[in-house]
Amino acid sequence: MRRATLRLSALSKGLLTAGRRLTQESKGPSKHGVLNMHEACSPIHVKHVRDKLREIVGVSTNWRDHVKAMEERKLLHSLLSKSQKGLPPRRMKDSYIEVLLPLGSEPELREKYLTVQNTVRFGRILEDLDSLGVLICYMHTQNHSSKMSPLSIVTALVDKIDMCKQSISPEQDIKFSGHVSWVGKTSMEVKMQMFQLHNDEFCPVLDATFVMVARDSENKGPAFVNPLIPENLEEEELFKQGELNKGRRIALSSTSLLKMAPNADERSTIHEMFLSTLDPKTISFQSRILPPNAVWMEDTKLKSLEVCHPQERNIFNRIFGGFLMRKAYELAWATACSFGGSRAFVVTVDDIMFQKPVEVGSLLFLSSQVCFTQNNYIQVRVHSEVASLQRKEHTTTNVFHFTFMSQNEVPMVLPKTYGESMLYLDGQRHFHSMSVPVALKKDYVVEP
């Protein structure tokens, strides 16, 4: 089967656009990428990504050996650089990689990725993106004089994943590509794209931006990473966008509803919603009723519990971040379907902060809730917390934000309490971080 050659996917128009959006037109990769050397790039098989990561870090696939492997990594501490200036600069093409998921040419892979509706499980795609992002960063920071890397690279943030208007078939090959697009002192931004084969051409499915951080060999403190040198105007634009993304994240953090009061428009919105729920038959702030075609926010919750087994560990013997994303997404999708009364389709994933690692053996509690709706769009928030079997104290590890599109127009969701009002405003902010929403097309099919 003939496959189209991919240029550097991060330089396509999709990644040079700052705003979050659902792509209006499905176009192939840019034919004028700067990294023409990648015409000869041979993609690696997706099943080899985690094998390569284990080789780079030097860990065993046997759970019984994990303590010994981590002890051996302590010896790599002397290889860490004392400053970023002591590390050789790298180019964007140094970390560029393509990974093939051959669902069409290797049908035995299909069942792992298959939904009951004969589409591709998006949760599995999140797992693959997470592993790929880590491998890309190891390629950027690789030290050719040492077989094993002294760095522990972990996912800090899923900044955004924007879906294109493109169906995902379980019977056609998928290709991922990506590279490091921005570097700080100890952090790296990774741009990734996913394509699927259609009429002998790989067409775009999604754009993703992840932020990774480098830690020392024992994953106890920050470590310096190689600086990044843009080589032309397009790469300078990508690097500049990385700086803007960092500034945007800082600004959003400073205006978080956990730190600052809602603005005037948001306060007015909450008050109007509150007034709409007062019972006109009584003169009381305590008597609340639902307006037509509305649902109380507290009635939209779904919860799940996972026991974190060694099978789901990452190369550092913590629970794999992709597994956490998959479980959160699947719960969010079920919540959106249950709330909307029809199949839901993911539009955007954004602002997933990995606050604390999840240890093997933990109890993982996931709580999903609809926090904002508009027309046929559903904003779902998933809160993740863990507890050990010995201690009952719960600790927050992640908060996930998903935007879904329902086949039908959905009810309005209304908060009852001040806390729920803040969740509503937070969901509204995440929803409005997209550009103008588009209509749902029949070929747009992405499910868990």
Side-chain angles (χ1 to χ4, degrees):
M1 177 168 48
R2 182 173 66 87
R3 292 185 174 84
T5 300
L6 286 180
R7 304 280 183 164
L8 175 62
S9 57
L11 298 174
S12 66
K13 293 181 180 179
L15 287 179
L16 290 175
T17 304
R20 293 175 170 86
R21 82 265 181 250
L22 186 65
T23 304
Q24 301 282 348
E25 299 292 338
S26 294
K27 297 181 180 180
S30 170
K31 295 184 178 180
H32 302 287
V34 293
L35 304 187
N36 295 328
M37 62 171 288
H38 293 123
E39 290 181 359
C41 178
S42 297
I44 66 171
H45 197 291
V46 69
K47 67 182 180 183
H48 294 148
V49 171
R50 296 187 77 175
D51 293 337
K52 284 183 172 291
L53 288 174
R54 292 189 186 96
E55 181 180 337
I56 291 169
V57 176
V59 298
S60 171
T61 56
N62 193 330
W63 168 245
R64 292 175 297 179
D65 298 334
H66 76 281
V67 174
K68 178 183 177 182
M70 290 298 105
E71 286 294 322
E72 291 176 350
R73 281 193 57 78
K74 291 182 181 180
L75 303 176
L76 300 173
H77 202 276
S78 61
L79 299 178
L80 294 170
S81 178
K82 305 298 183 188
S83 69
Q84 191 176 45
K85 293 181 179 179
L87 295 168
R90 297 285 159 77
R91 302 165 297 178
M92 291 189 187
K93 61 184 176 184
D94 292 331
S95 61
Y96 180 84
I97 190 173
E98 293 179 357
V99 175
L100 184 66
L101 174 58
L103 297 180
S105 50
E106 296 185 21
E108 62 272 15
L109 281 175
R110 199 171 297 158
E111 188 167 335
K112 178 182 176 181
Y113 289 83
L114 194 64
T115 72
V116 69
Q117 289 86 14
N118 199 40
T119 59
V120 171
R121 294 175 62 182
F122 185 67
R124 292 294 189 192
I125 300 301
L126 291 176
E127 290 184 322
D128 291 338
L129 287 172
D130 191 53
S131 295
L132 177 59
V134 175
L135 179 58
I136 287 170
C137 289
Y138 273 119
M139 293 178 63
H140 174 83
T141 60
Q142 64 183 330
N143 183 350
H144 297 289
S145 63
S146 175
K147 181 179 179 181
M148 291 168 53
S149 173
L151 298 177
S152 302
I153 295 175
V154 296
T155 307
L157 171 71
V158 178
D159 188 54
K160 61 176 178 177
I161 301 175
D162 288 330
M163 302 301 301
C164 302
K165 184 181 67 69
Q166 183 73 31
S167 62
I168 304 181
S169 167
E171 299 177 355
Q172 297 294 331
D173 287 359
I174 285 173
K175 186 178 283 188
F176 301 93
S177 67
H179 64 97
V180 172
S181 58
W182 174 87
V183 167
K185 289 186 177 181
T186 63
S187 60
M188 294 162 280
E189 182 183 88
V190 178
K191 296 286 191 184
M192 292 176 282
Q193 282 189 305
M194 172 179 158
F195 303 87
Q196 184 157 50
L197 198 63
H198 180 69
N199 293 332
D200 288 336
E201 180 180 1
F202 278 103
C203 301
V205 174
L206 63 80
D207 296 339
T209 303
F210 282 44
V211 177
M212 308 290 183
V213 294
R215 312 275 291 172
D216 61 29
S217 55
E218 298 179 73
N219 198 10
K220 291 183 177 179
F224 293 106
V225 298
N226 302 69
L228 181 65
I229 306 299
E231 293 189 295
N232 52 52
L233 291 177
E234 286 183 287
E235 291 191 1
E236 288 176 2
E237 181 67 23
L238 275 178
F239 193 90
K240 185 186 300 182
Q241 185 59 53
E243 290 284 356
L244 294 174
N245 289 341
K246 178 183 176 182
R248 171 180 53 80
R249 289 190 290 267
I250 293 174
L252 289 175
S253 176
S254 64
T255 58
S256 166
L257 292 167
L258 293 171
K259 298 178 181 179
M260 293 185 63
N263 61 41
D265 288 341
E266 291 173 332
R267 293 195 297 269
S268 177
T269 296
I270 292 302
H271 190 65
E272 289 175 3
M273 293 177 68
F274 173 74
L275 293 179
S276 72
T277 65
L278 293 182
D279 189 347
K281 298 178 181 179
T282 65
I283 307 176
S284 171
F285 290 123
Q286 302 297 323
S287 183
R288 308 282 295 277
I289 60 171
L290 269 176
N293 195 33
V295 177
W296 291 121
M297 186 183 292
E298 65 181 14
D299 295 329
T300 68
K301 292 181 180 179
L302 286 181
K303 295 185 178 183
S304 70
L305 168 66
E306 298 288 338
V307 180
C308 297
H309 295 291
Q311 180 186 7
E312 308 301 342
R313 72 189 188 279
N314 61 17
I315 53 178
F316 304 112
N317 293 298
R318 302 281 181 60
I319 294 301
F320 175 41
F323 170 79
L324 300 176
M325 285 194 285
R326 174 165 64 88
K327 289 299 181 181
Y329 170 79
E330 290 175 351
L331 182 63
W333 179 83
T335 302
C337 291
S338 176
F339 176 81
S342 64
R343 290 165 64 185
F345 308 87
V346 65
V347 174
T348 301
V349 181
D350 77 326
D351 196 24
I352 299 176
M353 180 73 72
F354 289 82
Q355 300 178 22
K356 292 186 178 180
V358 178
E359 302 292 342
V360 174
S362 300
L363 298 178
L364 176 66
F365 297 87
L366 295 172
S367 178
S368 180
Q369 187 171 24
V370 176
C371 55
F372 177 81
T373 60
Q374 181 173 304
N375 300 327
N376 61 330
Y377 286 89
I378 306 170
Q379 189 70 36
V380 181
R381 180 182 188 270
V382 181
H383 180 261
S384 167
E385 56 186 18
V386 296
S388 67
L389 291 171
Q390 294 77 28
R391 300 177 59 188
K392 295 183 179 180
E393 181 180 352
H394 289 207
T395 303
T396 297
T397 61
N398 304 82
V399 177
F400 305 84
H401 302 276
F402 302 97
T403 306
F404 291 94
M405 185 186 293
S406 178
Q407 291 177 309
N408 306 317
E409 188 163 325
V410 299
M412 176 182 290
V413 63
L414 292 176
K416 267 189 178 180
T417 66
Y418 187 79
E420 288 181 345
S421 297
M422 296 304 99
L423 289 179
Y424 181 92
L425 294 179
D426 187 57
Q428 184 181 61
R429 289 181 179 185
H430 281 282
F431 178 77
H432 287 156
S433 68
M434 295 191 305
S435 62
V436 179
V438 301
L440 178 66
K441 302 297 183 182
K442 290 184 179 180
D443 66 339
Y444 185 78
V445 183
V446 183
E447 297 186 17

